[in-house]
Amino acid sequence: MTRHRHSNLAMLCALLALAVTAHAESPPNADDANRTTAAHPTGFARFRDTQDGAFDLSDLLLNHKGVLPVPTIITEPAVGYGFGLGLLYFSAPKREASNNAGSASNSADAKPTMSPPNITGVGGFFTGTHSWGAGLMHFHSWDDDHIRYLGVLGKVNLHLNYYGPQGNANAYQLSGVTVVQQILFRIANSPWYVGPRYTFFDSATRFGPLLPDGLHHLERDVRVGKGGIVVDYDTRDNMFYPSHGTYAEFEADFARGGFGSSNAFDMQSVKAYHWIELTPRWILGLRVDSGFSQGDIPFFAQPYVSLRGVSDARFQDRNQVTGELELRWNVTPRWALLGFGGAGKAWGKLHAFGDAPTAFGFGTGFRYLIARKLGLSMGIDVAHGNGQNAFYIQVGSAWR
């Protein structure tokens, strides 16, 4: 579940209904968590925050028993409008008693660290373009969040567009089964994580009677098997919608026959997000996202520019680089307004960097703090890009 998504559009769409909560953090405020655990509101009280009386889902999300349904409205221009539903089950990881005692003894004001919950989910989606997908995922952490595991299994059938050298849309169908396995290990007690990731996608591609320019030797059935290394750095105050801190990720993947791949190619991606608290009410966000590929890479797996207001995979080539700014105004403790804008390029095969068209997207939006104890906000972004308008229902930050 990355923002660059190294062009693995199939995996993205298959898990769209799950992505909003796949890496949910436990409440950042230990006192809130303890109070919530001690008392379980019932009836309408579970939808009210005990602090300000506002509509809030914190107690429902933290104390629900059984399976939590998560409906999602899909507004991605690449696949059209649609609906998704995820069923999620949360459980708290076991914590080391010695760690808790050590944390408490360091300082009178120290609070025990909060590990992310374990999550098991199943979900699916369907859109107006007859694209559909279904997925199963599990996220688990051990040793006070020193080990993180993510496993995904998904099936997709997508109706998309391929944009060739002239920028013309060519409709095609992409279907297949995808598997993701990842495990990350924290380096000592630092904000650094490192570990392996394996991705497999058994795909079938179908165009019309005529193939677009540049794809005359298209292989219709391709298996993509990639093994790689992931390095994460995370100092965000909240992973849903941060006010300060940095999240960065580097990934290097190698697709080879030994990993089950039909084609041999390499991919590298670097992304970094940084939030600056200019004042308590004004937050500036900075984003840089890049992807590079070499070798015999399938067209649908190439890096692409991802911006609000721009259809995913419209600007796609061997390499891509994207930059974006976002300015947020916290009007009240619950409501926030924001403006954003960015640009990017994809180049390497279809175009040289200087000749490649520039993708751009800008717009505005709002957020409502719907679960204060989780720091979870929801809202809508409205954006304009290259010749089109789009809107997005967002859970937390648009940068993932």
Side-chain angles (χ1 to χ4, degrees), residues 213-229:
D213 293 340
L215 295 181
H216 296 301
H217 301 288
L218 173 71
E219 298 179 42
R220 298 184 181 274
D221 300 304
V222 175
R223 295 186 306 277
V224 174
K226 301 184 298 182
I229 189 74

Side-chain angles (χ1 to χ4, degrees), residues 265-286:
F265 61 91
D266 301 331
M267 299 187 71
Q268 308 84 38
S269 66
V270 180
K271 64 180 181 182
Y273 314 142
H274 183 61
W275 289 268
I276 304 170
E277 193 170 17
L278 302 176
T279 72
R281 288 199 170 191
W282 290 92
I283 311 298
L284 176 64
L286 310 172

Side-chain angles (χ1 to χ4, degrees), residues 55-132:
F55 176 75
D56 189 277
L57 298 182
S58 296
D59 290 321
L60 179 66
L61 293 174
L62 293 171
N63 292 319
H64 73 85
K65 296 181 179 180
V67 176
L68 176 69
V70 181
T72 302
I73 298 177
I74 300 170
T75 58
E76 167 54 49
V79 295
Y81 298 117
F83 179 78
L85 177 65
L87 302 176
L88 302 175
Y89 177 78
F90 292 78
S91 63
K94 295 181 180 179
R95 303 184 60 209
E96 299 291 339
S98 60
N99 187 334
N100 297 346
S103 298
S105 62
N106 289 336
S107 169
D109 298 325
K111 296 180 180 179
T113 58
M114 303 298 293
S115 298
N118 304 322
I119 309 170
T120 300
V122 61
F125 74 93
F126 185 84
T127 76
T129 64
H130 301 290
S131 296
W132 61 269

